[in-house]
């Protein structure tokens, strides 16, 4: 994995796209929780599920940055861009699960 593109100074458009994607990842976590738990989701967030939400957002940010999604901001997305997005989202989830297990279940 080449880390140089992730460490280079991003363009303002790439930075906005990155921040948007990280915000959408956090929102997706909360919405998935709301769909699963209904009205109890907000109570669950208050009682301790905010930590996994923060962990998922951080993991998504790191994975999105290091998978090279922001090497260039495109005007028209191609099928290979869609594959890269799906790969990054899947990798974020696969990293999030063991990290959350290690931080919350092994107390």
């Amino acid at each position: 994995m080449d880390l140089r593109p992730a460490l280079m100074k991003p363009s303002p458009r790439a930075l906005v796209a990155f921040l948007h994607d990280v915000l959408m990842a956090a929102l997706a976590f909360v919405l998935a929780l709301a769909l699963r738990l209904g009205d109890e989701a907000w109570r669950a967030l208050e009682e301790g599920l905010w930590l996994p939400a923060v962990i998922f957002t951080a993991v998504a940010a790191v994975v999105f940055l290091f998978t090279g999604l922001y090497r260039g901001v495109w005007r028209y997305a191609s099928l290979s861009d869609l594959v890269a997005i799906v790969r990054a989202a899947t990798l974020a989830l696969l990293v999030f699960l063991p990290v959350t297990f290690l931080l919350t279940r092994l107390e």
Side-chain angles (χ1 to χ4, degrees), residues 42-53 104:
W42 312 119
R43 185 174 304 124
L45 278 171
E46 290 174 357
E47 292 175 358
L49 280 180
W50 60 269
L51 180 61
T104 60

Side-chain angles (χ1 to χ4, degrees), residues 24-45:
M24 290 300 113
L27 183 62
F29 185 89
V30 172
L31 287 176
L33 191 63
L35 286 173
R36 172 64 177 96
L37 299 176
D39 293 336
E40 298 294 317
W42 312 119
R43 185 174 304 124
L45 278 171

Side-chain angles (χ1 to χ4, degrees), residues 1-64:
M1 180 185 311
D2 187 17
L3 297 179
R4 284 178 286 152
L7 300 175
M8 292 178 4
K9 183 178 179 185
S11 70
R13 290 179 69 182
L15 183 60
V16 168
F18 172 72
L19 293 175
H20 172 269
D21 290 349
V22 170
L23 179 64
M24 290 300 113
L27 183 62
F29 185 89
V30 172
L31 287 176
L33 191 63
L35 286 173
R36 172 64 177 96
L37 299 176
D39 293 336
E40 298 294 317
W42 312 119
R43 185 174 304 124
L45 278 171
E46 290 174 357
E47 292 175 358
L49 280 180
W50 60 269
L51 180 61
V54 171
I55 292 170
F56 179 74
T57 304
V59 166
V62 170
V63 169
F64 293 169

